[in-house]
């Protein structure tokens, strides 16, 4: 069968000439009932691989029997994509206000708790979800209508969040600087780690820090906990959200994109998004770490760096992570030195440049990691 792709556009900003900046929205709806899925990519301008993943998803989904609806928004931040300095994309922060493009989504714990007090013991799960989604949508619209206005990043975030508010499953596609595949998984959805073909899994607390995945799952988690506490009623709303990091920024790779598209399909198939689909998660080693053990190695020096430890490859304590060149000491024994691992670790990503200032986030690594399969 063939599934129709319906394309529309959303105005997310205006440039200084007053011209609209749009993002494409691709909707694919099946004839059978099922979950609503929302997938976006490139909220950070240099993180472009997700666009190739969405391309492969659309090509495959057109020939699949979809249950429910899948909404795909590639290149969701055209402002960030177009902020260039020479050959580099400086699209991580709103250039006007300095805000991280991925930290302006909306969550109001008090508003969720107020709603939770309206839930009755006999109300159905479907009824609660319908009312709560309308509650969330209204809250986002009210925030967008803030009389004092909002910064560019938050305006963009809220418009995208409104697209995702009715979704059961939300996937935000990212990349690291120089990175291996990894995924952020909320603690309540730990079992879903084995549904993706992603080897490195970071388990995060159900706490809001501004990102889209947290803005999606925190309201539902808070609602569940409050209803359980007030009514002694354990409800499950089956809403999940994840941040997927699919390799390095500033590059696209079509063959790797096809692998990640298959990974996403394996997850969605397990969640009932397809009819008669045989795509399943691969049997592979998956390594887990708690967020508190996902460490950042900062430098207390500046210099030129060769990165010796490759993302995704385990390093034992004392092994070299990097070799540093000190330009002021090329004529003596201090011209070169090694930076060794302070403990057993797995590098996940490292700084993209060889020129490093003191205080730079040089590596992000797994420590105290464990096998989850």
């Amino acid at each position: 069968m063939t599934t129709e792709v319906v394309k529309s556009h959303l105005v997310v900003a205006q440039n200084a000439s007053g011209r609209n900046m749009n993002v494409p929205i691709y909707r694919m709806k099946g004839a059978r009932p099922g979950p609503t899925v929302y997938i976006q990519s490139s909220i950070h301008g240099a993180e472009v691989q997700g666009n190739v993943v969405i391309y492969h998803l659309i090509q495959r989904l057109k020939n699949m029997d979809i249950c429910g609806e899948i909404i795909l928004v590639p290149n969701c931040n055209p402002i960030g994509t177009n902020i260039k300095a020479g050959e580099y994309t400086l699209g991580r922060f709103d250039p006007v206000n300095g805000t991280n493009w991925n930290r302006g989504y909306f969550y109001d714990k008090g508003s969720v708790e107020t709603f939770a007090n309206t839930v009755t013991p006999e109300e159905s799960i479907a009824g609660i979800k319908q009312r709560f989604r309308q509650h969330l949508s209204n809250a986002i619209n009210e925030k967008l209508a803030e009389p004092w206005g909002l910064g560019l990043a938050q305006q963009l975030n809220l418009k995208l969040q409104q697209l995702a508010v009715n979704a059961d499953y939300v996937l935000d596609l990212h990349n690291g600087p120089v990175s291996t595949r990894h995924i952020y998984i909320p603690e309540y959805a730990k079992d879903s780690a084995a549904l993706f073909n992603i080897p490195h899994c970071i388990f995060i607390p159900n706490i809001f820090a501004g990102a889209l995945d947290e803005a999606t799952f925190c309201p539902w988690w808070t609602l569940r906990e409050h209803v359980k506490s007030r009514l002694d009623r354990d409800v499950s709303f089956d809403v999940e959200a994840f941040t997927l990091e699919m390799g390095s920024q500033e590059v696209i790779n079509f063959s790797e994109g096809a692998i990640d598209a298959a990974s996403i399909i394996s997850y969605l198939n397990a969640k009932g998004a397809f009819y008669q689909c045989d795509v399943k998660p691969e049997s592979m080693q998956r390594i887990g770490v708690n967020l508190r053990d996902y460490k950042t190695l900062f430098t207390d020096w500046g210099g030129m760096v060769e990165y010796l430890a490759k993302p995704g490859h385990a390093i034992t304590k004392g092994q070299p992570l990097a070799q540093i060149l000190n330009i002021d000491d090329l004529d003596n024994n201090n011209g070169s030195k090694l930076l060794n691992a302070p403990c057993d670790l797995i590098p996940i990503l490292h700084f993209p440049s060889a020129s490093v200032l003191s205080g730079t986030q040089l590596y992000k690594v797994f420590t105290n990691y464990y096998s989850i399969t």
Side-chain angles (χ1 to χ4, degrees), residues 5 10 31 52 170-171 184 200 239 298 318 332 360:
V5 182
L10 173 70
V52 179
V170 173
L171 306 180
Y184 289 88
H200 300 101
V239 175
F298 293 89
N332 59 59
T360 294

Side-chain angles (χ1 to χ4, degrees), residues 149-160:
L150 299 167
L152 181 59
Q154 192 168 27
Q155 289 181 36
L156 172 66
N157 286 170
L158 293 176
K159 289 177 181 179
L160 296 171

Side-chain angles (χ1 to χ4, degrees), residues 174-220:
H174 285 250
N175 299 99
V178 177
S179 174
T180 190
R181 286 185 180 91
H182 55 291
I183 182 172
Y184 289 88
I185 300 176
E187 289 176 346
Y188 76 89
K190 274 189 173 183
D191 290 346
S192 290
L195 301 179
F196 294 94
N197 302 327
I198 297 179
H200 300 101
C201 304
I202 304 167
F203 295 108
I204 61 176
N206 308 318
I207 297 172
F208 181 66
L212 178 61
D213 57 347
E214 299 155 349
T216 299
F217 66 69
C218 279
W220 294 98

Side-chain angles (χ1 to χ4, degrees), residues 60-132:
R60 292 190 63 167
L61 295 175
K62 286 192 295 187
N63 299 307
M64 297 179 69
D65 196 343
I66 295 173
C67 301
E69 183 179 23
I70 299 177
I71 305 165
L72 304 113
V73 185
N75 200 39
C76 68
N77 180 5
I79 310 101
T81 304
N82 286 284
I83 302 171
K84 306 291 289 190
E87 63 267 40
Y88 297 104
T89 307
L90 305 180
R92 189 168 186 83
F93 301 96
D94 169 359
V96 178
N97 305 302
T99 309
N100 187 319
W101 289 112
N102 193 39
R103 292 296 182 271
Y105 297 97
F106 176 73
Y107 167 62
D108 183 344
K109 183 179 180 181
S111 175
V112 175
E113 291 175 346
T114 298
F115 176 88
N117 289 331
T118 71
V119 175
T120 62
E122 65 277 3
E123 187 173 10
S124 69
I125 297 295
I128 297 171
K129 290 178 75 171
Q130 182 178 12
R131 285 202 307 117
F132 190 49

Side-chain angles (χ1 to χ4, degrees), residues 47-66:
E47 300 178 19
V48 292
Q49 177 65 11
N51 300 313
V52 179
V53 176
I54 287 179
Y55 162 76
H56 283 292
L57 282 171
I58 290 173
Q59 300 311 308
R60 292 190 63 167
L61 295 175
K62 286 192 295 187
N63 299 307
M64 297 179 69
D65 196 343
I66 295 173

